[in-house]
Amino acid sequence: MPGTIENNCAGKRFKALDSGLPFLASQAAIELDNLLLGRNVDLKAVTQLAERLERSTEQVAGTEDRKSLMDPATISVFSNAIAESGIERVQTLAELASGAWKIARELQGSREDSDKQRIGRLKTFCTYLAQSAVAHERALYEMQSANNNWS
Amino acid sequence: MLPLTYARRRIRAVLEEIGRLKDSDFPYSHSRDALEQLDRLFQERLTSLESLTGQNDPGVIKTACSESLLQVFKYLPLLGFILRSTNIRNSFEIFGPLLRLARQVLGPDIKLIVSSEWEYSPHVYKPIQDLPGYVLLGLPACESGNPLLVPLAGHELGHTTWQLRKLADDFEPAISNGIEEQVRAQEGQYKDLFGGDLDDLFVAQNLAPAHLWALRQSEESFCDFLGVRIFAESYLLAFAYLTTPGIKRRSELYPNMKDRVRNLLRASSTFGVDPPSEFANWFIDESTPTSNEKERFLLKIADIARSSVVDNLIARANLIASESHVPGREHKKIDAVLSAFKLLTPAASVGDVVNILNAAWQAFDDEHLWKRVVEDRIDILNELVLKSIEILEFEERTRQTE
């Protein structure tokens, strides 16, 4: 099924160029918002987003540090979301990778998390991530439309 | 909240339109199948929007509305494309042979939609990411009945191949490395333009356009190579028909035309394809699309990074076509088709569409063919080609039922 949670997530890394990212991030924000409102939610999108974020970093051998596996477009979308939401302070690629890993872990634990402020921050991050991904996809589409030079 | 009300109404309008389109008379089922998938996509958006209430965070609501608006923006043109697939201006004869070709390369579940475009550009829709398993071929409306442009389908098949086989993942590391090498080699110029060190977070963001352009240029190049590999000379001629001599302004998403042609000739040489002797001279040079120094720098390194993977792209196109056992161009079969055409009869027992199309182009270029016998040579040729393709389809279906 196109553009759906199921279609987007199996085995995938976090990539800005995946057109399912805007909906996934938006759905994750809705789920966290509903969680804060005390509604019954399944957190499917939250889990899928967390898995994708986890797979976008890898551990640096022999250390606790993380290394980013994101391509530049994804780095751009993700770091915009981090900066706008203020969820983590990120100045370097290494901090970006650590931030992605930390957010992934927090998303995974959100159902059992009693810290409403943390859930709120995660919700804000997912909201900005969706906005950043929407803007990126719109820009790509406009670039493609403006550059139809025979494809 | 009004944005939410408007967003819900917009999605319902799209769903109603999809409902109307489903009642169209489609020549084959794949168009309707695509509509079903899009229907599910928009139903999911509506369900999500309808689940939101006034208690939800306004930022979350607005973001959901924005995302749903993006889908309308993306998919409305595609719905038009699907509607136009019913139009009799399209050559329905080509559907069967092209579908078989697509399935040889990409597997038995691939679907095909052939339609027309009111832009002068054969098109594959980038939203194919959300319609995996579809090849969408749209020829310019004024040429949608011209069978000599069917070889361009090889390029469009390349886009679906690139996506389904995840070739971007394969070539991305080399492109990223190429870009990084170029930036380090031109560190002074980079710092003058962008400031900062080469090891900070912002380098990745600054270089993101170069990365995107190099990746897209590589995809376009791969599609050209697959087109040449499958359709041989007929691809080069169809390409030239549509694009020569070119328009002065270059796009960042494609190699410069001179580069593109040079690479086509390189691929032709690898595949044993014979281009016209003056092929390279048919095309004009294109100007850089921007005077912005940063963008010129980024485009330069993107071009270099893409150039570094061209040989591998050619090899990959060759491998994919070989593994798929796509029928090659055979001079004996082309001669047999031409012999039939000379007698003003369609060809039979050809076995594949590639050789029919190569013969068609040879006939097109032969100004002496039917001289003083027919008035409109090209109209007659088009009819013979379409009839030959129809016979091919009939023979194949008969073979399958035996």
Side-chain angles (χ1 to χ4, degrees):
Chain A
M1 194 177 298
T4 66
I5 304 294
E6 288 78 13
N7 195 47
N8 291 333
C9 300
K12 283 192 174 185
R13 286 207 321 228
F14 178 75
K15 291 188 84 164
L17 290 177
D18 282 332
S19 65
L21 180 59
F23 187 60
L24 179 64
S26 172
Q27 283 299 108
I30 292 172
E31 287 173 359
L32 290 169
D33 195 30
N34 286 338
L35 189 66
L36 286 169
L37 289 169
R39 292 175 183 168
N40 199 14
V41 284
D42 62 15
L43 295 184
K44 195 191 308 185
V46 169
T47 303
Q48 305 277 15
L49 182 60
E51 285 170 0
R52 287 176 77 178
L53 275 172
E54 267 185 30
R55 280 193 293 272
S56 293
T57 71
E58 65 181 8
Q59 193 168 359
V60 178
T63 75
E64 293 292 315
D65 297 334
R66 306 295 297 184
K67 178 183 147 192
S68 168
L69 300 174
M70 298 182 202
D71 59 60
T74 308
I75 288 171
S76 194
V77 166
F78 184 64
S79 56
N80 284 345
I82 284 203
E84 296 270 350
S85 65
I87 190 170
E88 290 288 330
R89 194 179 134 73
V90 167
Q91 294 286 322
T92 65
L93 281 173
E95 287 174 355
L96 186 86
S98 292
W101 179 251
K102 187 174 168 209
I103 291 170
R105 303 270 76 191
E106 288 180 357
L107 283 170
Q108 291 284 23
S110 51
R111 182 177 291 286
E112 288 77 33
D113 195 342
S114 57
D115 186 338
K116 286 191 184 296
Q117 278 199 330
R118 184 157 49 225
I119 301 292
R121 284 198 300 272
L122 288 172
K123 178 191 76 174
T124 303
F125 166 74
C126 291
T127 304
Y128 279 112
L129 181 62
Q131 289 174 8
S132 183
V134 165
H136 176 77
E137 199 165 313
R138 173 67 190 258
L140 274 182
Y141 192 80
E142 284 180 344
M143 194 193 312
Q144 173 69 23
S145 300
N147 283 284
N148 270 339
N149 192 27
W150 188 54
S151 69
Chain B
M1 191 177 182
L2 277 179
L4 182 57
T5 303
Y6 295 162
R8 287 169 177 164
R9 185 54 229 154
R10 279 193 303 256
I11 299 301
R12 284 198 195 99
V14 172
L15 284 165
E16 284 162 12
E17 185 58 48
I18 291 174
R20 283 189 288 272
L21 290 177
K22 282 192 211 175
D23 288 336
S24 304
D25 231 342
F26 293 107
Y28 40 83
S29 66
H30 298 178
S31 300
R32 188 171 282 109
D33 296 340
L35 286 175
E36 294 289 352
Q37 288 202 238
L38 292 173
D39 188 82
R40 288 194 287 272
L41 181 149
F42 282 100
Q43 285 287 359
E44 193 175 31
R45 293 315 189 271
L46 185 60
T47 302
S48 176
L49 292 172
E50 286 179 340
S51 74
L52 294 165
T53 70
Q55 289 183 297
N56 282 104
D57 181 329
V60 169
I61 293 174
K62 273 190 266 189
T63 300
C65 295
S66 178
E67 194 279 336
S68 72
L69 180 59
L70 175 70
Q71 304 311 318
V72 178
F73 178 75
K74 274 169 59 176
Y75 286 106
L76 197 60
L78 181 56
L79 292 178
F81 176 89
I82 293 173
L83 172 62
R84 290 191 301 277
S85 71
T86 62
N87 197 304
I88 57 170
R89 70 167 67 247
N90 303 311
S91 301
F92 298 131
E93 296 93 332
I94 68 174
F95 177 82
L98 280 185
L99 179 64
R100 267 198 302 286
L101 192 61
R103 285 180 169 175
Q104 258 188 292
V105 178
L106 292 168
D109 297 328
I110 281 295
K111 298 187 181 186
L112 170 68
I113 302 175
V114 179
S115 184
S116 60
E117 286 299 340
W118 287 98
E119 281 186 53
Y120 194 74
S121 172
H123 220 76
V124 69
Y125 280 83
K126 293 312 166 189
I128 59 172
Q129 287 177 324
D130 288 319
L131 275 180
Y134 281 82
V135 177
L136 308 177
L137 170 63
L139 292 175
C142 51
E143 303 279 4
S144 54
N146 182 356
L148 271 69
L149 294 188
V150 170
L152 300 175
H155 182 105
E156 308 312 321
L157 184 58
H159 282 296
T160 310
T161 306
W162 184 270
Q163 188 216 5
L164 292 182
R165 293 201 184 205
K166 301 188 196 312
L167 297 184
D169 290 349
D170 290 347
F171 286 93
E172 203 169 41
I175 285 167
S176 288
N177 289 343
I179 288 172
E180 192 180 333
E181 265 173 33
Q182 285 305 309
V183 169
R184 292 200 181 277
Q186 301 174 68
E187 188 172 340
Q189 194 179 0
Y190 173 86
K191 284 183 176 175
D192 286 343
L193 289 169
F194 295 96
D197 285 322
L198 284 185
D199 291 318
D200 67 24
L201 174 62
F202 302 104
V203 172
Q205 292 179 281
N206 290 336
L207 297 180
H211 184 269
L212 173 72
W213 294 339
L215 204 53
R216 290 295 302 276
Q217 289 180 27
S218 299
E219 179 178 350
E220 297 298 337
S221 300
F222 170 80
C223 294
D224 277 344
F225 303 151
L226 191 65
V228 176
R229 175 60 178 80
I230 293 175
F231 287 98
E233 289 83 2
S234 67
Y235 181 83
L236 297 174
L237 293 166
F239 175 89
Y241 176 94
L242 205 68
T243 60
T244 53
I247 295 173
K248 242 354 208 152
R249 191 187 176 283
R250 181 220 166 148
S251 160
E252 299 94 335
L253 303 181
Y254 296 80
N256 173 293
M257 187 57 91
K258 282 288 189 186
D259 261 357
R260 194 174 177 183
V261 169
R262 203 167 15 243
N263 292 336
L264 274 169
L265 293 174
R266 208 151 126 194
S268 296
S269 173
T270 304
F271 303 147
V273 171
D274 298 318
S277 55
E278 289 296 303
F279 189 75
N281 292 335
W282 292 352
F283 299 87
I284 61 175
D285 218 343
E286 291 172 318
S287 59
T288 304
T290 176
S291 56
N292 177 299
E293 280 213 52
K294 283 182 183 173
E295 288 177 1
R296 288 171 80 96
F297 175 81
L298 292 171
L299 185 56
K300 187 174 73 173
I301 61 174
D303 283 345
I304 295 171
R306 178 259 307 154
S307 297
S308 72
V309 298
V310 160
D311 285 336
N312 286 337
L313 290 167
I314 291 173
R316 184 63 65 92
N318 198 19
L319 180 66
I320 287 171
S322 300
E323 285 177 346
S324 307
H325 305 291
V326 169
R329 181 260 289 122
E330 290 177 48
H331 292 295
K332 206 166 144 186
K333 283 190 178 183
I334 292 172
D335 289 343
V337 174
L338 280 171
S339 296
F341 284 177
K342 279 173 184 161
L343 297 173
L344 286 167
T345 58
S349 306
V350 182
D352 64 86
V353 72
V354 170
N355 288 293
I356 294 174
L357 293 169
N358 275 282
W361 272 106
Q362 287 193 23
F364 182 90
D365 286 339
D366 181 0
E367 287 174 355
H368 299 288
L369 183 64
W370 308 317
K371 207 166 183 177
R372 289 190 289 274
V373 176
V374 300
E375 279 203 10
D376 200 325
R377 200 172 72 82
I378 300 306
D379 269 0
I380 298 292
L381 174 62
N382 285 349
E383 289 297 324
L384 285 175
V385 173
L386 288 172
K387 190 53 74 176
S388 303
I389 294 174
E390 207 177 324
I391 291 171
L392 169 69
E393 181 65 8
F394 174 77
E395 288 170 346
E396 179 59 27
R397 289 193 191 197
T398 307
R399 191 188 67 77
Q400 284 175 5
T401 56
E402 280 170 356

